[in-house]
């Protein structure tokens, strides 16, 4: 059986393609997820993609991954900067032995000051940012290596 990876996308990412394309690009979430699943197959990974605008749902998915021993690629979006609940769920995930790659389409460090802090990064195995959809693909490659 192939290693299982959950690819989780946080709030407002369902609006990709139309939301601030100058920052996030023109790829829709469906197109992004198609690329991610294809790259996962190429790398021998069993990839499942999910998106939510709901903090509690995202925390639940992180706990599900922790219980099952799955690795996670996470774009926490706005939750990156203030959701201690998501940050704590990420710490738990890594604490039980799963790997977590935090991804961002844009480079938060090059944007507004409030985006410079990540409550997820303290627990993440690694962070990849600023490569658009490629951030997700690079994360999968890192997990496959």
């Amino acid at each position: 059986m192939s290693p299982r990876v959950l690819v989780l996308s946080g709030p407002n990412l369902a609006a990709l393609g139309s939301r601030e394309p100058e920052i996030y690009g023109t790829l829709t979430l469906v197109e992004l997820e198609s690329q991610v699943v294809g790259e996962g197959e190429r790398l021998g990974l069993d990839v499942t993609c999910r998106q939510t605008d709901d903090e509690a749902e995202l925390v639940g998915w992180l706990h599900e991954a922790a219980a099952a021993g799955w690795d996670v690629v996470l774009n926490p979006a706005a939750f990156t900067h203030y959701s201690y609940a998501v940050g704590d769920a990420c710490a738990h995930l890594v604490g039980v032995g799963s790997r977590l790659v935090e991804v961002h389409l844009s480079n938060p460090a090059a944007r507004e000051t409030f985006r410079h802090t990540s409550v997820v990064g303290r627990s993440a195995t690694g962070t990849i940012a600023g490569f658009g959809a490629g951030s997700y693909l690079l994360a999968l490659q890192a997990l496959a290596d």
Side-chain angles (χ1 to χ4, degrees):
M1 178 165 27
S2 300
R4 180 92 185 263
V5 178
L6 277 186
V7 177
L8 304 177
S9 297
N12 299 310
L13 290 170
L16 286 178
S18 61
R19 177 179 174 239
E20 299 180 274
E22 67 281 1
I23 295 173
Y24 301 108
T26 57
L27 207 61
T28 68
L29 183 62
V30 170
E31 293 167 333
L32 171 68
E33 289 177 345
S34 177
Q35 286 186 14
V36 166
V37 169
E39 181 68 3
E41 289 173 358
R42 187 185 77 74
L43 294 168
L45 302 172
D46 178 12
V47 174
T48 300
C49 297
R50 299 177 186 169
Q51 186 278 328
T52 187
D53 295 328
D54 184 292
E55 184 177 22
E57 186 169 41
L58 184 57
V59 168
W61 291 341
L62 289 163
H63 287 305
E64 176 187 358
W70 301 331
D71 292 332
V72 173
V73 173
L74 171 64
N75 183 341
F79 293 146
T80 303
H81 317 294
Y82 71 88
S83 176
Y84 296 107
V86 170
D88 288 348
C90 289
H92 172 67
L93 174 80
V94 173
V96 299
S98 293
R99 295 176 296 168
L100 170 70
V101 182
E102 176 186 10
V103 299
H104 297 282
L105 296 164
S106 67
N107 179 359
R111 298 185 60 199
E112 303 93 334
T113 304
F114 79 89
R115 297 184 194 275
H116 297 178
T117 299
S118 171
V119 298
V120 171
R122 66 183 166 90
S123 301
T125 307
T127 300
I128 301 171
F131 295 98
S135 294
Y136 286 81
L137 306 181
L138 289 166
L140 291 175
Q141 292 168 15
L143 290 174
D145 285 342

